[in-house]
Amino acid sequence: MADPQSPAVESLRQEQKSQKKAERKLTSDQKLERALKDTFPASDPVAQQVPITLGAAEEQR
């Protein structure tokens, strides 16, 4: 098994951290554009995911 302190592991962790930070800075339009690029060409249309809160009260009519 690889040593957790090896340069490769540390490099991977730093890269993942920077990718997560960059992802948080994206606007919803940028996230949708990335999703389109990542799934092209595909037969199914892309739908932007909207996070929901389980157990949240439903809106009153």
Side-chain angles (χ1 to χ4, degrees), residues 6-20:
S6 74
V9 171
E10 287 300 316
S11 175
L12 176 63
R13 287 183 181 156
Q14 289 176 354
E15 183 178 345
Q16 289 173 336
K17 186 178 180 179
S18 67
Q19 288 174 350
K20 288 177 185 178

Side-chain angles (χ1 to χ4, degrees), residues 8-48:
V9 171
E10 287 300 316
S11 175
L12 176 63
R13 287 183 181 156
Q14 289 176 354
E15 183 178 345
Q16 289 173 336
K17 186 178 180 179
S18 67
Q19 288 174 350
K20 288 177 185 178
K21 186 176 182 180
E23 184 71 25
R24 286 191 298 265
K25 291 182 178 182
L26 293 177
T27 65
S28 59
D29 286 340
Q30 290 170 323
K31 289 178 183 178
L32 180 59
E33 186 66 29
R34 177 178 282 175
L36 287 169
K37 287 180 182 178
D38 290 347
T39 59
F40 185 81
S43 60
D44 297 333
V46 175
Q48 183 178 12

